[in-house]
Amino acid sequence: MCGIVGYVGKKEALPIILKSLRRIEYRGYDSCGILVQDDGKMEVHKSAGSGSIDRLEASLSGSKYEGKIGIGHSRWATHGAPSEKNAHPHLDSKGEIAVVHNGIIENYQSIKEGFLSNCVFKSETDTEVIPHLISKKKVSSEKFDWQIKEAVKEALSYLKGSYAIIVAVKGFDGLVAARKESPLIIGVGDRENFIASDMSAVLEQTNRIIFLEEGDIAVVKKDSIYIENSGSEVKREERLIEWTIEDAEKGGYEHFMLKEIYEEPRSIIDTLRGYLAEDEINLGIDFKMEGDVKGKSILMVACGTSYYAAVCGKYIIENLAKLPVHVELASEFNYADFVLDGTKVMVMAITQSGETADTLMAMKKAKRYGCKTVAITNVLGSSATRIADETIYIRAGPEIGVAATKSFVAQLAIFYLLGLFLSEMPASEFVDHLEELKRMPQVAQMVLDDENVNIQKHARYLSRYEHVFFVGRGVNLPIALEGALKLKEISYIHAEGYAAGELKHGPFALLTEDTPVIAILTPGNTYEKTLGNVKEIKARGAPVIAIAEESDEEVEKYVDAVIRVPRTSAIFSPISNTIVLHLLAYWTAKERGCEIDKPRNLAKSVTVE
Ligand code: F6R
């Protein structure tokens, strides 16, 4: 996610804006930019690439670059490649209105082609429509503040999507800030005020924080803060924050991993938002492979958690679109004698970072076979996007914890979209599925709200064991595999994920009262069979914790404990089951005192074969 910062006060803005940008560097960024203004002058400076804040600072040192109002931006690209041209702030045609933005404007293309068709755009971003829209409203010097606020309000009324913005206007002695579905705070100082998307950006300057609420629009000046919502002035409480900067970076959570688990609903919302307009799915890529996708197949290549997401994707796409999907570990695919017909197989590479060496190699191999390649990734401009013919972005935002969490559910969200997009199901069935997909963020939130405490209790219990099995079937088999991977990598407990029906073909020999089994038992066509498997497991003395739907009373008779999830149709159950297992792994590792965000011997991005 992008970070935005603003300052208006008695001091020089430049060093404050740079310091604030440094404070949000931990979130990851690919470019940055600042604007400082005073006395009717506005100057913008931008830099792209890793370390660009350093370069920006170096390029400005010694220069006479004064002004007591400033805005800044660190960009995590979503629309348009990471480059200086696409870095914020973005300006209107006259260079008098500057905007920094965090969020996604869904309808920017139609605004560009419609209402703003006579404007010249300098970037490929969704953001640039905002200053142009604001400039459409004529502003005279009379009641200047009020008019600027009204112009921003009117511009915002055109936008669909999410935003936190800060607007600077030439000759205006303040800043306008507004938010919808993206966080924004005001730091209150003494004859100075700060604005930021992230509290950690301002805590070094002040701990007096106002949290703007949904739909708020604020006019922030050196000595005043005016906030309005739905046309009327509102008062927002100022709070004294006792957090350290480190606490603030993690949003008050002890670890990035827990913060990111709590961001799973948002990760699904943002991912869906990019591709859903009303009841239409537009993935923005051409699926044609010498004719139609029909009669062809998809081969997915991936590693680790992304591989498990891909296996789940296979079940999802085959169920919804009835299109055959094969999944290969990239590291295996690279050296196997695959028979691939490039005219019939589309290869999809699933990779959060877009930099995993094995996955990149597999993509290159697929291209040598003449296959069309599609990257499904979180990182704009990453190597995978440069190799692929087409890219579909998940929009999980920067993932800092080494263990993938919010990117996994975003990958699943893409597979639901893909499955529906490629399906030929009757319209009413399509709409039902789409409605259920849109409810998934809410379902995910319910799991976080209702089960977190209960899961901590089970985690305390699990933390005493050295071996744990995870079992599931069908679309939840890869979720069991993901649960086991997450537990082993962060808690160092030996964990194995298995197809529930397979235990009797070997692993039964390991079952004792010291090998707890986590069984995914949510409804579906394999429910009875899995329940049968659970009875077999119990008969071998192993304790069983089931993940079951909220009204399932039957399951309690056969297991030792139950973690509840909301009812969904079987194909959508992986979302809530995943969140349960991510929380379970997190709390177990915490109980064992492990270094959760940086597990031993592991790296976030595996750039070697
Ligand atoms: C596990 C984990 C890894 C990654 C794997 C692939 O929690 O994060 O298994 O999933 O290294 O990484 P990407 O998706 O970046 O290709």
Side-chain angles (χ1 to χ4, degrees):
M1 293 293 140
C2 303
I4 63 175
V5 297
Y7 173 78
V8 47
K10 56 194 175 185
K11 302 185 192 129
E12 286 305 325
L14 177 64
I16 294 173
I17 295 293
L18 283 168
K19 193 184 272 180
S20 298
L21 286 179
R22 289 214 172 281
R23 283 288 163 216
I24 49 177
E25 242 181 324
Y26 75 94
R27 295 152 59 112
Y29 70 101
D30 51 53
S31 52
C32 63
I34 55 163
L35 172 140
V36 172
Q37 71 131 337
D38 223 0
D39 290 337
K41 279 198 322 281
M42 286 176 98
E43 262 194 74
V44 177
H45 291 266
K46 300 179 179 183
S47 177
S50 70
S52 47
I53 298 179
D54 286 342
R55 281 198 299 284
L56 192 65
E57 184 159 17
S59 71
L60 293 171
S61 83
S63 65
K64 198 168 156 27
Y65 190 39
E66 291 175 351
K68 299 200 169 54
I69 297 178
I71 56 178
H73 188 264
S74 63
R75 180 164 186 254
W76 166 266
T78 54
H79 291 92
S83 63
E84 275 192 27
K85 176 179 78 172
N86 289 331
H88 302 207
H90 290 290
L91 284 86
D92 69 319
S93 315
K94 289 191 191 150
E96 294 181 346
I97 298 165
V99 174
V100 287
H101 164 222
N102 171 27
I104 298 169
I105 306 303
E106 289 162 20
N107 58 338
Y108 78 103
Q109 203 60 43
S110 62
I111 297 175
K112 264 176 150 178
E113 287 160 13
F115 191 50
L116 297 181
S117 58
N118 58 350
C119 294
V120 178
F121 287 87
K122 295 186 178 141
S123 76
E124 298 146 1
T125 64
D126 52 340
T127 303
E128 202 183 347
V129 297
I130 306 175
H132 285 288
L133 281 172
I134 298 171
S135 73
K136 285 280 171 195
K137 182 117 179 157
K138 294 277 165 282
V139 171
S140 67
S141 54
E142 205 181 310
K143 289 198 191 161
F144 195 45
D145 301 15
W146 184 84
Q147 291 201 42
I148 290 172
K149 179 201 70 192
E150 288 302 304
V152 173
K153 247 165 76 180
E154 193 163 321
L156 296 179
S157 70
Y158 286 89
L159 306 181
K160 282 194 183 143
S162 63
Y163 52 77
I165 56 164
I166 309 176
V167 185
V169 179
K170 195 167 177 179
F172 177 45
D173 62 343
L175 295 168
V176 181
R179 67 157 284 191
K180 178 180 169 244
E181 295 177 31
S182 291
L184 197 58
I185 58 107
I186 298 175
V188 183
D190 172 22
R191 304 214 60 216
E192 59 183 358
N193 289 308
F194 308 81
I195 309 171
S197 50
D198 186 323
M199 218 189 335
S200 52
V202 305
L203 273 185
E204 216 170 325
Q205 324 283 346
T206 179
N207 66 347
R208 295 163 58 198
I209 303 290
I210 294 172
F211 293 87
L212 290 180
E213 290 182 16
E214 201 53 18
D216 279 357
I217 173 159
V219 178
V220 181
K221 295 190 166 189
K222 183 167 67 180
D223 295 309
S224 66
I225 297 170
Y226 167 85
I227 307 174
E228 190 179 291
N229 196 310
S230 311
S232 315
E233 184 175 0
V234 286
K235 294 283 170 219
R236 300 281 177 232
E237 192 193 340
E238 182 186 305
R239 301 202 212 153
L240 273 190
I241 302 294
E242 305 297 346
W243 287 358
T244 62
I245 289 170
E246 215 206 355
D247 289 339
E249 286 177 351
K250 293 179 186 149
Y253 294 99
E254 193 176 340
H255 297 96
F256 282 112
M257 181 176 174
L258 188 59
K259 174 172 182 268
E260 286 162 3
I261 294 174
Y262 269 82
E263 286 170 353
E264 291 192 31
R266 162 62 47 194
S267 174
I268 304 170
I269 294 175
D270 287 345
T271 301
L272 296 181
R273 168 169 284 144
Y275 306 105
L276 268 179
E278 308 296 330
D279 280 349
E280 296 248 315
I281 297 170
N282 181 359
L283 287 159
I285 77 165
D286 176 11
F287 273 91
K288 298 267 184 303
M289 299 180 289
E290 282 194 13
D292 211 321
V293 112
K294 227 171 161 191
K296 316 277 167 60
S297 66
I298 292 174
L299 169 65
M300 295 198 197
V301 287
C303 299
T305 280
S306 291
Y307 171 77
Y308 296 140
V311 178
C312 195
K314 168 188 164 68
Y315 284 95
I316 293 168
I317 296 170
E318 291 190 340
N319 175 287
L320 297 174
K322 316 292 177 218
L323 180 77
V325 180
H326 308 279
V327 189
E328 296 293 339
L329 286 163
S331 55
E332 283 300 307
F333 174 78
N334 290 335
Y335 295 97
D337 296 321
F338 272 89
V339 182
L340 268 187
D341 178 347
T343 63
K344 295 207 172 74
V345 182
M346 178 189 275
V347 171
M348 293 191 168
I350 322 304
T351 166
Q352 183 282 131
S353 62
E355 301 296 347
T356 300
D358 288 322
T359 308
L360 300 183
M361 232 172 117
M363 293 172 77
K364 289 180 191 155
K365 177 167 174 176
K367 289 191 95 161
R368 285 199 299 277
Y369 277 99
C371 299
K372 174 164 178 162
T373 54
V374 178
I376 299 181
T377 184
N378 195 27
V379 183
L380 213 128
S382 56
S383 304
T385 68
R386 293 197 295 271
I387 297 169
D389 299 308
E390 311 251 18
T391 299
I392 302 175
Y393 289 102
I394 63 169
R395 298 190 195 282
E399 194 173 61
I400 293 167
V402 163
T405 51
K406 61 178 178 168
S407 62
F408 183 84
V409 291
Q411 288 163 340
L412 297 192
I414 291 290
F415 297 137
Y416 289 114
L417 288 171
L418 257 172
L420 288 174
F421 177 78
L422 296 171
S423 82
E424 288 179 353
M425 62 179 67
S428 63
E429 216 181 294
F430 178 89
V431 170
D432 286 351
H433 278 103
L434 200 58
E435 286 310 311
E436 186 157 17
L437 177 56
K438 289 186 200 160
R439 274 203 309 279
M440 281 303 116
Q442 222 176 313
V443 167
Q445 192 61 50
M446 281 158 79
V447 177
L448 291 165
D449 293 345
D450 299 346
E451 280 304 307
N452 188 23
V453 174
N454 185 24
I455 290 170
Q456 289 175 47
K457 182 180 79 196
H458 297 305
R460 274 196 293 281
Y461 163 79
L462 276 192
S463 66
R464 303 197 295 266
Y465 292 92
E466 286 312 317
H467 308 278
V468 177
F469 280 90
F470 289 75
V471 295
R473 292 181 84 132
V475 73
N476 281 306
L477 166 59
I479 305 308
L481 300 175
E482 162 67 359
L485 175 65
K486 222 82 315 173
L487 187 71
K488 73 181 95 169
E489 73 176 316
I490 61 165
S491 76
Y492 313 141
I493 293 175
H494 166 231
E496 285 197 50
Y498 246 88
E502 277 293 299
L503 287 191
K504 57 174 138 349
H505 298 290
F508 264 10
L510 291 172
L511 293 186
T512 68
E513 60 197 16
D514 288 327
T515 52
V517 178
I518 314 296
I520 304 180
L521 261 171
T522 41
N525 64 346
T526 54
Y527 175 84
E528 292 298 337
K529 291 281 171 210
T530 316
L531 197 57
N533 299 140
V534 163
K535 290 177 197 167
E536 293 162 2
I537 292 166
K538 282 296 300 169
R540 268 108 198 135
V544 176
I545 300 174
I547 303 174
E549 184 243 299
E550 55 203 356
S551 59
D552 182 344
E553 287 170 10
E554 181 69 5
V555 74
E556 285 168 355
K557 299 179 196 152
Y558 306 103
V559 301
D560 299 277
V562 186
I563 298 172
R564 298 289 178 181
V565 290
R567 187 174 185 87
T568 62
S569 59
I571 199 69
F572 286 101
S573 60
I575 300 258
S576 24
N577 294 335
T578 297
I579 296 177
V580 166
L581 295 182
H582 284 170
L583 284 170
L584 195 62
Y586 172 81
W587 288 114
T588 308
K590 166 114 171 67
E591 194 63 33
R592 287 166 69 100
C594 299
E595 170 104 60
I596 293 179
D597 282 332
K598 290 194 175 106
R600 68 182 176 220
N601 305 335
L602 296 178
K604 180 73 186 155
S605 173
V606 185
T607 54
V608 289
E609 228 198 299

